[in-house]
Amino acid sequence: QVQVVESGGGVVQPGRSLRLSCAASGFTFSSYGMHWVRQAPGKGLEWMAVIWSDGNNRYYADSLKGRLTISRDNSKNTVYLQMYSLRGEDTALYYCARDVGTRAFDFWGQGTLVTVSS
Amino acid sequence: QSALTQPPSASGSPGQSVTISCTGTSSDVGGYNYVSWYQQHPGKAPKLMISEVTKRPSGVPDRFSGSKSGNTASLTVSGLQAEDEADYYCSSYAGSDNYVLFGGGTKLTVL
């Protein structure tokens, strides 16, 4: 069955960087775009970034441009999110999700929690 | 780019119908037929309920339906059931500059 599993979260100090990973299984990973979406505690969903199936196209939310890099390794069925200059407002549950092909996300992981705190 | 606009709350009694709106602009909701709706129960990951404005993924009850008029999309839940109580989020493709926008979410209460 289709699965995506995020990892890499934890407590990080303000100003530091962090890399999240999302391991996929149960489908042909190299055929799908993959997204990162986050949700701050008690808040709504915020789209962050997408990387197309071949890794050649990437897009970022305007508010986060310059502080993110999304990448993927199709040989490892894994997508990554590198975040820089972390701030308190980056504290959130970070989800990885598969793009069904129409900018809709049909499979989501359970998320990995990032807490930015000194 | 601002998030899409949803009412913060909606409610209905079991068996009734409720409609949740999602208002954007001609650069997102009105410009593309790539509006999606997600259901999220507390402590759970979101679940895709509607894609491409009106399409229901396999396994989603036909009580859930989507539509769009101009810059506003809508999700209608008919024959409300207790398990429909959840947060609902809309999203829309917004072009290569912003790619995807989410609405702020609507908490649906089944009275």
Side-chain angles (χ1 to χ4, degrees), chain A residues 66-113:
Chain A
R67 294 205 300 127
L68 298 179
T69 299
I70 188 171
S71 61
R72 66 190 294 158
D73 185 338
N74 284 346
S75 69
K76 295 182 178 179
N77 288 357
T78 301
V79 60
Y80 304 97
L81 185 71
Q82 180 77 47
M83 299 186 293
Y84 311 93
S85 303
L86 285 163
R87 311 162 181 166
E89 53 264 39
D90 295 318
T91 293
L93 189 60
Y94 286 73
Y95 291 106
C96 168
R98 187 180 82 165
D99 191 318
V100 71
T102 55
R103 285 71 167 181
F105 314 141
D106 62 343
F107 283 96
W108 300 63
Q110 288 305 305
T112 186
L113 182 63

Side-chain angles (χ1 to χ4, degrees), chain B residues 1-35:
Chain B
Q1 183 84 355
S2 301
L4 308 177
T5 301
Q6 296 181 235
S9 63
S11 63
S13 299
Q16 288 187 333
S17 293
V18 65
T19 297
I20 299 170
S21 63
C22 171
T23 301
T25 69
S26 58
S27 296
D28 38 71
V29 173
Y32 307 94
N33 286 325
Y34 286 149
V35 176

Side-chain angles (χ1 to χ4, degrees), chain A residues 36-56:
Chain A
W36 285 95
V37 176
R38 70 181 180 181
Q39 187 169 33
K43 302 296 185 182
L45 302 173
E46 180 185 16
W47 179 79
M48 301 180 70
V50 60
I51 186 166
W52 286 13
S53 56
D54 60 5
N56 287 339

Side-chain angles (χ1 to χ4, degrees), chain B residues 31-53:
Chain B
Y32 307 94
N33 286 325
Y34 286 149
V35 176
S36 304
W37 289 91
Y38 301 87
Q39 176 191 66
Q40 187 180 34
H41 286 110
K44 300 294 186 183
K47 176 187 176 182
L48 179 64
M49 305 300 283
I50 298 286
S51 67
E52 296 181 81
V53 180

